[in-house]
Amino acid sequence: MLSWLKSPATETQITHGGRLWLYALATLIILFLVVPTLIVIPMSFSDSQYLEFPPQQWSLRWYEHYFGSDEWMRATWTSIKVAILTMVVATPIGVLAAYALHTARIAVVRLAFVLLITPMMVPLVLVAVGAFYVYVKLNILYTVTGLVLAHTVLALPLVVIVIGSAFKTFDMAQENAARSLGAPRWKAFLTVTLPQIRFAVVTAALLSFLTSFDEVVVAMFISGGDNPTLTRNMFNALRDQIDPTIASISTIMILITTSMMVLAQIFGGKKNAE
């Protein structure tokens, strides 16, 4: 333990002992963020009609209610379908946009970048209201197409930022060498550039999926009818009645999110090992 405390933590020779305050602060912040989330897990196994912690009696009744409900299953399928489609649409568009921004040598690049990340700066309520009125005119309100378009707009800035960061550490001379040997630009990108930024692409795709799957504000305005999202139904369940089913759903969502993050890290670990 003493040797670890005296060993350098970074290339600047700062020791782990000199960073103990930082480790303690980071641990407190993580606990502050994670513990309230983990409380939901035991609440989901309660047999009570109301949300309670700690549970007085343990049961799987709310998981059975969730999986046995046509309404919840329809909303879950809608959310998964929209999230997958959003990932499929937002990821390639974001990768191409980030690639164009990185390789372009024109003055309007910064303006284009600001426009691409604008959805992150505009309040979600304004995006939702704007999408609602546009969708009414286009007759795509309460449709999967409308949800995918709206969620793609929200996910695109994250994809551009993640892929843009990957390009900053990538040596474009490798792609230029492939092009100088006769490879078309698209082939050089697919065979040289893309394999080396694949971890960033996977991360961006994961963030796109989670952005859509967890989104509720825009969904409250533009989803419904035959295509309600899971988060919209959860919000309504909290507003209209205290339904413990949302605790079981939240637990499942936590497991899905955590599993996807772990898989992304495993993928990244393999990449770094190579």
Side-chain angles (χ1 to χ4, degrees), residues 91-103 112-113 116 156 160 163 167:
T91 303
I93 293 177
V95 170
L96 293 177
Y99 179 76
L101 291 173
H102 182 71
T103 57
F113 177 75
L116 285 170
L156 196 57
V160 172
I163 302 301
F167 277 127

Side-chain angles (χ1 to χ4, degrees), residues 206-222:
L206 171 64
L207 291 175
S208 299
F209 181 93
L210 296 178
T211 297
S212 174
F213 193 68
D214 293 337
E215 201 283 320
V216 63
V217 178
V218 175
M220 290 296 297
F221 283 80
I222 64 173

Side-chain angles (χ1 to χ4, degrees), residues 71-85 142-144 147-148 151 212-213 223-230:
E71 180 182 0
W72 284 116
M73 288 294 99
R74 183 168 65 252
T76 302
W77 170 240
T78 298
S79 290
I80 293 175
K81 180 167 56 176
V82 170
I84 292 174
L85 291 174
Y142 302 156
T143 64
V144 171
L147 280 168
V148 171
H151 287 176
S212 174
F213 193 68
S223 72
D226 294 332
N227 296 298
T229 63
L230 185 60

Side-chain angles (χ1 to χ4, degrees), residues 33-78:
L33 295 174
V34 173
V35 169
T37 303
L38 297 180
I39 289 177
V40 175
I41 298 177
M43 291 173 63
S44 68
F45 294 98
S46 173
D47 191 46
S48 173
Q49 291 282 351
Y50 307 98
L51 293 174
E52 64 176 14
F53 181 83
Q56 300 300 317
Q57 292 182 325
W58 300 89
S59 173
L60 294 174
R61 63 178 295 188
W62 300 115
Y63 287 92
E64 294 173 356
H65 179 264
Y66 167 61
F67 288 108
S69 170
D70 291 337
E71 180 182 0
W72 284 116
M73 288 294 99
R74 183 168 65 252
T76 302
W77 170 240
T78 298

